[in-house]
Amino acid sequence: MSLAPVRPDLAGKRLVLALSGGIACYKAAELCRLLVRSGAELRVVMSDGAQRFITPTTLQALSGRPVVTSQWDASGEANAMPHINLTRGADAIVLAPASAEMIARLAQGRSDEIVSLTCLARPLATGHGLVPLLVAPAMNREMWAHPATQRNVAQLRADGALVLGPDAGDQACGEIGDGRMLEPEALLEDIVAALSLKPLAGRSVLITAGPTFEAIDPVRGLTNRSSGKMGFALARAAREAGATVTLVAGPVHLDTPRGVARVDVQSAQQMQDAVLARAAAHELFIATAAVADWRPLQLAEHKIKKNGKKQPPALELTENADILAAVAALPRPPFCVGFAAESENLAAHAREKLVRKKLPLVVGNLGPATFGRDDNALLLVDADGEQSLPADGSQADKLTLARALVAEIARRLAVAR
């Protein structure tokens, strides 16, 4: 099995991974591995209960550093205070799994074992190196739904903790419902988002992604090779940047980015309806989708058969509405960013679109060279000139590009508003 490419999303970050007792400790091993592969400098602390499910040796092997298992363990600590030393200079504590018992301890401020003691000792003031607490609950569905647990979770949130999850599904006890700890990949995505800069905090962003499918008959249609990867990467990057994100997606087979609201459509008309119903409520519109310019004038009721005929059926086309132009023409339009997927003369075609649709920014790329791929190169075109992403004209993976583009858009949006 090949591993996914390593993306150093957490390079330079110092994290504390804290485990409390629960069967979900087996997931913490994979989370530990993912955090290290993402570049984090990781220390692990385990409660007595956690050690019933997974050994400190496993976490030490995965983190590459000794695991702290007791507040009385002074080995390697000159001042015999591991609970203090672990949090000084840390960027966050990730409590995963967080059992109902551990959540209750933290809500009450109890600190009679190493995990709760470490969480309680973390700095809370920004001026003293604020250390966020990210909590991933893991418990039986009835325990999660119990009023006492919900009160405790509400208290954690009020005290500044960020609660990640829980998920719903099959549980180790054989029951089904809310309470599962998020899968490690989902937790990693949430952790990266939590530690990202927030230039779009409080902003609402509407993004279109993927192709459209224009039906000819019940089984055939006109479409294009857009994979939707760039639009989905932008949705994730905008969410990481603090925005509330709605993603209108054409027919693609991609997982929805964490924390993003998704609306699935097929045709250009459906995409237009979905966008125009929402555009006025958003401050930023990024039209990444490769919307079909044309659609069949008539939809055949049944599959068009060859029936031995040598001549193909006549296919009369009509033009689809221009979604981006319609949004840009609204009385109070959002800040509109267009995409131009071209096969030649990229800068000229992107600038023509900028002028014709009266947009503040158009992002150009060579469609045939990037459709379906995981990397890309972008050309930003505005009234003042052109700018390449990456700056040296090379290629980068689409999430890296999306983050850079979101940062650039956030800067422009701040100036425009």
Side-chain angles (χ1 to χ4, degrees):
M1 180 182 68
S2 62
L3 296 175
V6 175
R7 192 193 315 277
D9 292 337
L10 297 173
K13 298 295 185 183
R14 297 181 60 191
L15 302 181
V16 177
L17 176 60
L19 283 69
S20 60
I23 188 61
C25 281
Y26 81 92
K27 294 183 181 180
E30 175 65 7
L31 176 61
C32 178
R33 188 184 73 89
L34 291 175
L35 291 171
V36 172
R37 290 187 73 232
S38 296
E41 179 185 326
L42 193 64
R43 291 296 306 272
V44 179
V45 55
M46 300 176 68
S47 70
D48 289 342
Q51 296 172 65
R52 298 272 184 164
F53 294 93
I54 189 171
T55 69
T57 304
T58 299
L59 277 301
Q60 179 170 328
L62 292 170
S63 67
R65 305 194 67 180
V67 175
V68 178
T69 58
S70 170
Q71 67 267 44
W72 309 114
D73 182 2
S75 59
E77 306 288 344
N79 59 3
M81 298 180 184
H83 62 291
I84 300 293
N85 301 334
L86 282 168
T87 64
R88 298 307 183 261
D91 290 289
I93 298 176
V94 180
L95 177 55
S99 66
E101 164 65 17
M102 186 56 66
I103 289 173
R105 286 174 182 269
L106 296 179
Q108 297 164 20
R110 293 165 56 193
S111 55
D112 51 356
E113 54 74 53
I114 185 59
V115 170
S116 57
L117 189 62
T118 301
C119 293
L120 193 68
R122 78 187 196 281
L124 291 178
T126 304
H128 295 83
L130 172 68
V131 179
L133 175 61
L134 314 181
V135 178
M139 65 197 73
N140 169 265
R141 64 186 182 90
E142 297 291 0
M143 296 170 68
W144 172 252
H146 196 282
T149 301
Q150 292 303 305
R151 284 197 304 272
N152 291 334
V153 170
Q155 185 61 56
L156 284 189
R157 289 192 174 109
D159 290 343
L162 178 61
V163 179
L164 310 179
D167 204 352
D170 295 335
Q171 300 186 329
C173 59
E175 297 181 353
I176 300 174
D178 292 333
R180 285 172 54 97
M181 189 172 95
L182 291 174
E183 295 302 315
E185 294 81 2
L187 273 174
L188 176 63
E189 190 171 332
D190 280 357
I191 292 166
V192 171
L195 299 180
S196 297
L197 297 176
K198 299 290 183 284
L200 289 180
R203 304 281 194 180
S204 55
V205 180
L206 180 63
I207 300 174
T208 62
T212 60
F213 181 88
E214 310 301 326
I216 295 172
D217 61 26
V219 299
R220 301 186 184 93
L222 303 176
T223 187
N224 59 64
R225 295 171 53 210
S226 173
S227 66
K229 290 180 179 179
M230 191 70 223
F232 275 62
L234 279 166
R236 174 175 172 176
R239 182 254 178 161
E240 290 176 351
T244 300
V245 183
T246 300
L247 176 63
V248 180
V252 296
H253 300 286
L254 297 173
D255 293 334
T256 307
R258 299 275 306 158
V260 170
R262 177 172 176 173
V263 180
D264 286 315
V265 298
Q266 290 284 320
S267 68
Q269 184 61 57
Q270 291 172 346
M271 184 171 285
Q272 180 185 23
D273 293 343
V275 167
L276 291 182
R278 295 167 173 82
H282 290 77
E283 297 169 84
L284 172 61
F285 176 50
I286 307 177
T288 316
V291 182
D293 293 323
W294 309 90
R295 71 177 187 275
L297 185 60
Q298 298 292 332
L299 172 63
E301 184 178 359
H302 301 289
K303 179 182 176 181
I304 301 172
K305 307 291 288 184
K306 289 192 293 186
N307 293 327
K309 297 177 181 178
K310 300 298 183 182
Q311 283 295 109
L315 189 61
E316 190 175 359
L317 301 178
T318 187
E319 189 173 6
N320 277 320
D322 190 322
I323 299 173
L324 177 56
V327 173
L330 290 173
R332 294 178 60 85
F335 187 93
C336 291
V337 178
F339 263 67
E342 306 294 343
S343 61
E344 61 175 354
N345 300 327
L346 179 58
H349 288 308
R351 184 160 301 282
E352 186 276 332
K353 176 178 273 192
L354 180 88
V355 174
R356 174 167 50 86
K357 299 188 181 185
K358 300 178 181 179
L359 304 174
L361 179 65
V362 167
V363 181
N365 66 117
L366 294 173
T370 187
F371 281 163
R373 293 176 58 90
D374 293 322
D375 52 8
N376 198 359
L378 303 177
L379 182 69
L380 277 57
V381 178
D382 63 12
D384 296 324
E386 300 165 8
Q387 174 186 343
S388 295
L389 281 182
D392 61 3
S394 63
Q395 291 197 328
D397 69 89
K398 289 183 177 179
L399 182 54
T400 297
L401 280 175
R403 288 168 174 161
L405 179 56
V406 163
E408 180 65 26
I409 292 172
R411 183 186 67 79
R412 293 164 183 259
L413 184 60
V415 172
R417 292 293 188 266

